[in-house]
Amino acid sequence: FFSEKGMWGLRSAALRLARRSAQRTGRARAALLHRSAAASKARPSLRPCGFALSYRYLSAAASKPFMLADIGEGIAEVEVLQWFVRPGDKVEQFDRLCEVQSDKATVEISSPFVGTITSVAYEVGSIAKVGTPLLHISLESSEESTPSAGELPSEAAETASAPAVAAAASLAAVPGGGGKVLSTPATRALAKQHSVDLSTIFGTGRDGRVTKEDLMKVLAGGSVSTSALQPAAAAPAVALPPPAATAASTAKLLEDHAVPIKGIRKAMFAQMTAANAVPHFGYADEVVMDQLAAVRQQLKPIAAEHGLAKFTLMPLIVKATSLALSHFPELNSSVSEDGTQLIVKASHNIGVAMDTPTGLIVPNIKQVQHRSLLDIAEELARLQKDAAAGKIAVNDLKGGTFTLSNIGNIGGTYTGPVINLPEVAIAGLGKMRPTPRY
């Protein structure tokens, strides 16, 4: 407790401290203004004082790295195949940035931002690691702040929050057909949650993309587009071309040289190495194909009317395989990771091994048990076309339950294929040929 005189003493001391603090603050402010004015005279092109400092800070902050993030599926790196942009190029949302190849597929990466490319981090042919920037982009003023996944436009939200490679592969297969619906993974996940077929929605986004807003309108009671229900024209069957002979392949080697194993070939090496640890039991037999060949001849003109210029035996064999799996469901299964369960699959997602210029891949035809022969032929033609062009989607490689490996196109008769893990069985097909039998 203080007396009245003591209280007045404390008040006087507090006032003296406040005056001294104000004097020091004033001197510091004057010194700062003096230094700012001197800096402005040395750089007449810049505005004086704090505005110039803020301008330089915002310019540096607007250059943002575009990261290659982990999309799962065991992908830890990708090979840069080509760039569609160069430093100094301006890009809009969904403009193509680059094409990369993982050990699963080849995809194009698009931009979620509007801005100018300031630099690219990798040369063509380089390996880009997950978690590193693919490039740096200087954003326009409206995008200087980094939006969260929920604040981004619906088509770009998944790209910023999910991996760059996943943003590139934003094509959803139309159920029961060979067409595609452009959408982001976030939109597809929301559609799946509400059991909505995206092929029935008219996309208002760029290049006909179905945006999240389009889906929300449908969920709120809006109408769907009937034009989206029309079947897309079937792509003609495309035979995989043989590797072109080059001077390098025909010339004699003068010395040893090392060829890097990367991309799809690296994944194929790892997959087959792991499969060799699984005990294999092989069984070979011959099948009389006369009646099946006759059925094919009957169906060829019907397939031609539906736009299929080439109708092979493969769609018939795929469908026959599905019918056989219905009688022997345990062959359409996988073993759990701990080896304690056999998981019998309800869907017949039958894979067809394809030899591509980049390596062996096994895309699969989904839900074969519910597809017609023409539907299977159209889907197989699409997969062959995409595989030959190196554009196979990641979703086409996932979820297989049984695999067919056909060596008949190179003239082989018998083969011992390796199981495509985590499946439990695989069938190898040889060349159909006239053979005398008694």
Side-chain angles (χ1 to χ4, degrees), residues 235-295:
V238 179
L240 294 180
T246 62
S249 63
T250 57
K252 293 182 179 180
L253 291 177
L254 300 179
E255 59 182 9
D256 298 346
H257 68 281
V259 178
I261 300 176
K262 55 187 178 180
I264 292 177
R265 282 192 173 94
K266 184 177 180 180
M268 180 178 66
F269 172 80
Q271 178 79 350
M272 289 191 170
T273 301
N276 278 328
V278 177
H280 281 57
F281 169 77
Y283 173 80
D285 201 354
E286 293 181 346
V287 179
V288 178
M289 301 287 287
D290 295 8
Q291 294 183 4
L292 194 64
V295 171

Side-chain angles (χ1 to χ4, degrees), residues 301-371:
I302 300 176
E305 293 176 0
H306 288 76
L308 282 173
K310 187 177 181 180
F311 185 77
T312 67
L313 282 170
M314 203 62 190
L316 295 167
I317 295 174
V318 169
K319 188 63 178 180
T321 301
S322 176
L323 295 174
L325 292 176
S326 298
H327 291 281
F328 303 96
E330 287 188 349
L331 294 179
N332 191 59
S333 61
S334 63
V335 179
S336 61
E337 292 184 1
D338 58 4
T340 61
Q341 292 180 324
L342 183 68
I343 305 170
V344 182
K345 303 299 181 69
S347 300
H348 296 175
N349 300 340
I350 298 179
V352 179
M354 298 181 183
D355 185 19
T356 71
T358 56
L360 179 67
I361 61 174
V362 188
N364 61 82
I365 303 172
K366 303 290 194 297
Q367 302 287 338
V368 174
Q369 76 275 17
H370 299 314
R371 291 179 181 262

Side-chain angles (χ1 to χ4, degrees), residues 7-144:
M7 290 295 295
W8 278 106
L10 287 175
R11 181 175 179 274
S12 300
L15 288 175
R16 287 195 299 271
L17 287 174
R19 282 196 296 269
R20 291 174 184 174
S21 177
Q23 291 171 357
R24 285 196 297 267
T25 302
R27 287 194 296 270
R29 184 178 300 170
L32 177 60
L33 291 174
H34 178 73
R35 287 194 298 269
S36 299
S40 299
K41 292 179 181 179
R43 296 187 298 271
S45 59
L46 296 178
R47 296 189 181 184
C49 197
F51 183 81
L53 299 176
S54 299
Y55 179 82
R56 292 200 306 275
Y57 171 78
L58 287 176
S59 297
S63 180
K64 296 184 179 297
F66 185 76
M67 308 297 290
L68 174 63
D70 183 11
I71 66 173
E73 299 299 326
I75 294 177
E77 61 186 21
V78 297
E79 179 185 357
V80 179
L81 298 182
Q82 62 175 320
W83 286 102
F84 301 115
V85 295
R86 294 179 298 179
D89 290 351
K90 292 186 176 181
V91 294
E92 301 289 334
Q93 282 187 2
F94 312 116
D95 281 355
R96 298 185 304 171
L97 298 176
C98 64
E99 183 181 44
V100 300
Q101 182 184 75
S102 69
D103 57 2
K104 303 292 183 181
T106 300
V107 294
E108 292 180 354
I109 297 178
S110 57
S111 173
F113 302 116
V114 178
T116 303
I117 303 300
T118 57
S119 64
V120 295
Y122 296 95
E123 299 291 336
V124 173
S126 301
I127 301 299
K129 299 290 186 180
V130 165
T132 60
L134 280 174
L135 52 80
H136 287 78
I137 181 171
S138 178
L139 305 183
E140 291 191 354
S141 58
S142 60
E143 300 196 25
E144 285 180 352

